Structures are given as structure tokens and as C-alpha cells.
């Protein structure tokens, strides 16, 4: 798959994740999403869009582990920024 098409799909995936967040929060009776939530949803969905159809299972598992670590660090960083 060409890089431009892959990038377009990743951006579309990220935008979709942020767009449906209010519905998801409402359905699960969660509090409304914050700016921090929206940034996290966008970044994680973008990464999912980039690695979603990689043919190599091992590579995908490594990316998923990196994504989980990045999500945890991102949560801490955004919390720190928003506390200032």
C-alpha cells in the first residue's frame, strides 16, 4: 500500500475515533471527554490506522506493545500539562 494512502487511512481513523467519542461516552455513561481524552484517542487511533493491516504478526505485536507504553506515557504527560 502506498504511503500516502496509508497516511490518509490513519488520519481518517483518528478523526473518526474523536468524532464518535461523545457517543461512546454517552452510551457507557462516562463523563464527557476532555481535551486530554481527545488527544489520546486521536493518537492511538492514528497508530492503529498505520499498523492495522501489517502482514507480519511479530512486527504488529511489537508495535502494539509500543503503543501501550506510549499511551501510558502520554496519559501522564497530558495530566502533568493540564495540571499546570
Amino acid at each position: 500500500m502506498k504511503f500516502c494512502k496509508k497516511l490518509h487511512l490513519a488520519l481518517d481513523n483518528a478523526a473518526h475515533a474523536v468524532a464518535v467519542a461523545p457517543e461512546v461516552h454517552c452510551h457507557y455513561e462516562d463523563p464527557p471527554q476532555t481535551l486530554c481524552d481527545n488527544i489520546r484517542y486521536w493518537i492511538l487511533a492514528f497508530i492503529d490506522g498505520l499498523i492495522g493491516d501489517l502482514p507480519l504478526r511479530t512486527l504488529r505485536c511489537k508495535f502494539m506493545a509500543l503503543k501501550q507504553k506510549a499511551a501510558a506515557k502520554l496519559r501522564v504527560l497530558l495530566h502533568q500539562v493540564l495540571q499546570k
Side-chain angles (χ1 to χ4, degrees):
M1 182 181 289
K2 290 190 173 192
F3 178 74
C4 289
K5 186 173 182 181
K6 189 77 168 162
L7 184 62
H8 175 26
L9 290 173
L11 289 168
D12 189 49
N13 194 41
H16 180 264
V18 173
V20 300
E23 258 182 74
V24 174
H25 278 255
C26 182
H27 176 75
Y28 290 105
E29 298 176 358
D30 290 338
Q33 75 275 15
T34 62
L35 175 62
C36 179
D37 291 331
N38 283 338
I39 292 170
R40 185 170 41 112
Y41 297 153
W42 193 94
I43 291 171
L44 294 178
F46 180 80
I47 293 169
D48 278 342
L50 284 179
I51 66 170
D53 63 349
L54 287 176
L56 302 174
R57 181 173 170 80
T58 305
L59 184 59
R60 188 169 185 195
C61 289
K62 288 181 181 180
F63 274 120
M64 294 302 280
L66 284 173
K67 185 181 91 169
Q68 290 173 348
K69 288 180 185 177
K73 289 181 180 180
L74 181 63
R75 253 184 252 116
V76 170
L77 178 66
L78 288 174
H79 182 70
Q80 291 172 352
V81 168
L82 292 174
Q83 293 298 320
K84 290 183 180 180

